[in-house]
Amino acid sequence: MTATVAVIAPQTDWCALAREIADHAAALAEQHDAADSFVEESFDLLKQAGLFAALVPADLGGGGASIATLCECIGILARGCGSTALAFAMHSHIVAVAAWRRQHQGAPTEGLLRRVVNEGLVLVSSGGSDWLASGGEAERVDGGYLIHARKGFASGSPVGDLLVTSAVTQDPETGPTVLHFAVPLRGEGIVHHPTWQTIGMRGTGSNDVEFDSVFVADAAISGKRPAGEWHMLFHVISKIAFALIYAAYAGLAEAARDRAVALAARRAPDPLVAQIAGELENELLGMQLAHRRAIEIAENCAPGEATTSAAMACRTLTGQHAIAAATKAMELAGGQAFYRKAGLERIFRDVQAARFHPLQEKQQLDLTGRTALGWPI
């Protein structure tokens, strides 16, 4: 489907638009889940509504929305379709990081942000498969580099415009060096591999993208850093990205709670059922508190080791409580939860993906422990 680029009106009610799109996404969610197909119709609606540009600063023609507002929108979308919410969050966190770096670091991201508004660009990240070490080879040639790589977890790649990614070059002076750049997803040498057949989040289109000797000019390199080491860029990403990404899991857990309570409330009063419902409410509150703190960190805290440690702990806690809440919702609903028509089993499968974003729990615990002890991270 081809969407027109929205003209963003001042004071747009982004959450109202998200609710409308969530209703449409919900009607197609089961179909996309069964077919492992990308939620293209939902992305078309998001583009028409201007939500892809909601986080772009208003002085650049964007929506000027806050991270907290977009987290609320992502949670609303998740209530209709987890895949739509998560894939949209992946685009949104790239925009949010670019906007923060422009405002606070004077980074040259204005061009990218304007293109998101004017061209309706959908941005795709390979961060889930790269992180600090990155992956793939950047071979030095005249005027730039040839990229040889295969990137996984590229959510939104079936309709994405630019892949924001990285690769490693062997610098004769500094050693293994990660180069950051963005490349068109329909360019020469880009091969899409439909690998996304998964337990849950089946509609995110998080396929593999291969670089077969793709040329990236020197001028297109947006940053360089030592491979495998913490860098300020990743402190910025860590403080911002996970509030947006985990808003999808928070929305899923809240949806599971509502469905389970509606099913259980039909029964005659039973103290055991009440206790299970109470356990569910506790898990949900724990999730909401952790995610609320993640949003506060994203909006207010300066990037650095302590902020990254706290943000990553919030990522772990939000995910743990979201999974526990969805599990408890299954218990509360009882045998009805086992039927697909109840809507809980897809939520239960989708929320499991919260385990796998960086930093995963054991890595996060190591980072947070080292930070607390004053040891190098």
Side-chain angles (χ1 to χ4, degrees):
M1 302 176 72
T2 302
T4 57
V5 178
V7 177
I8 299 175
Q11 306 301 317
T12 299
D13 188 341
W14 298 111
C15 291
L17 291 171
R19 279 188 285 272
E20 292 180 18
I21 295 168
D23 289 341
H24 289 283
L28 295 170
E30 186 174 344
Q31 173 185 323
H32 285 297
D33 181 75
D36 293 322
S37 57
F38 179 64
V39 289
E40 186 168 352
E41 302 89 348
S42 298
F43 260 46
D44 189 63
L45 293 171
L46 288 165
K47 183 174 287 191
Q48 290 176 20
L51 272 154
F52 284 113
L55 282 167
V56 176
D59 66 310
L60 300 182
S66 68
I67 289 173
T69 296
L70 258 289
C71 284
E72 187 175 355
C73 290
I74 290 165
I76 291 167
L77 292 170
R79 288 172 170 268
C81 172
S83 290
T84 296
L86 184 59
F88 174 61
M90 293 303 179
H91 161 93
S92 298
H93 90 261
I94 303 172
V95 177
V97 167
W100 191 95
R101 294 186 65 220
R102 171 182 179 257
Q103 179 181 356
H104 296 278
Q105 297 176 326
T109 60
E110 181 173 323
L112 175 65
L113 293 168
R114 286 190 183 278
R115 291 188 66 193
V116 170
V117 176
N118 298 331
E119 300 174 35
L121 292 186
V122 174
L123 306 180
V124 176
S125 169
S126 68
S129 60
D130 280 325
W131 205 239
L132 300 182
S134 188
E137 175 191 359
E139 175 190 355
R140 186 66 172 146
V141 295
D142 288 343
Y145 299 86
L146 289 180
I147 309 300
H148 316 281
R150 183 159 173 161
K151 305 292 185 175
F153 304 106
S155 300
S157 57
V159 300
D161 298 297
L162 285 180
L163 179 65
V164 180
T165 188
S166 60
V168 182
T169 188
Q170 299 301 321
D171 189 289
E173 296 181 0
T174 60
T177 301
V178 179
L179 308 178
H180 289 266
F181 49 89
V183 292
L185 272 164
R186 304 292 173 268
E188 183 178 354
I190 299 291
V191 183
H192 293 254
H193 297 278
T195 52
W196 195 244
Q197 293 92 41
T198 53
I199 293 173
M201 291 295 187
R202 295 172 176 173
T204 60
S206 305
N207 294 311
D208 286 9
V209 177
E210 181 181 357
F211 293 74
D212 184 6
S213 299
V214 175
F215 179 73
V216 175
D218 286 327
I221 303 299
S222 60
K224 298 181 181 181
R225 60 179 176 85
E229 297 181 15
W230 278 97
H231 184 273
M232 181 53 69
L233 172 63
F234 275 80
H235 289 307
V236 175
I237 292 169
S238 296
K239 99 180 194 80
I240 291 173
F242 296 100
L244 291 157
I245 292 168
Y246 277 73
Y249 300 111
L252 283 169
E254 289 166 348
R257 179 266 182 200
D258 290 350
R259 290 173 185 265
V261 166
L263 289 169
R266 301 173 187 172
R267 306 177 199 165
D270 181 324
L272 180 59
V273 173
Q275 288 175 38
I276 297 170
E279 291 171 342
L280 171 53
E281 293 296 290
N282 282 3
E283 294 291 356
L284 199 70
L285 180 59
M287 179 203 72
Q288 291 166 337
L289 292 172
H291 188 244
R292 190 176 305 156
R293 179 59 183 148
I295 294 171
E296 292 172 354
I297 290 169
E299 294 195 323
N300 301 317
C301 292
E305 290 186 14
T307 295
T308 293
S309 173
M312 288 297 183
C314 289
R315 165 244 172 267
T316 294
L317 291 169
T318 303
Q320 285 178 338
H321 283 297
I323 291 170
T327 303
K328 195 58 65 173
M330 298 284 282
E331 182 182 357
L332 178 62
Q336 290 299 310
F338 210 60
Y339 289 89
R340 288 197 299 271
K341 66 181 181 181
L344 281 167
E345 66 89 27
R346 187 175 72 246
I347 291 174
F348 180 79
R349 288 186 289 105
D350 282 351
V351 81
Q352 303 306 316
R355 303 172 185 273
F356 301 115
H357 301 276
L359 292 175
Q360 292 179 29
E361 181 184 352
K362 293 297 187 291
Q363 295 170 312
Q364 175 267 309
L365 291 171
D366 180 72
L367 172 73
T368 299
R370 286 175 177 274
T371 302
L373 294 164
W375 294 354
I377 63 169

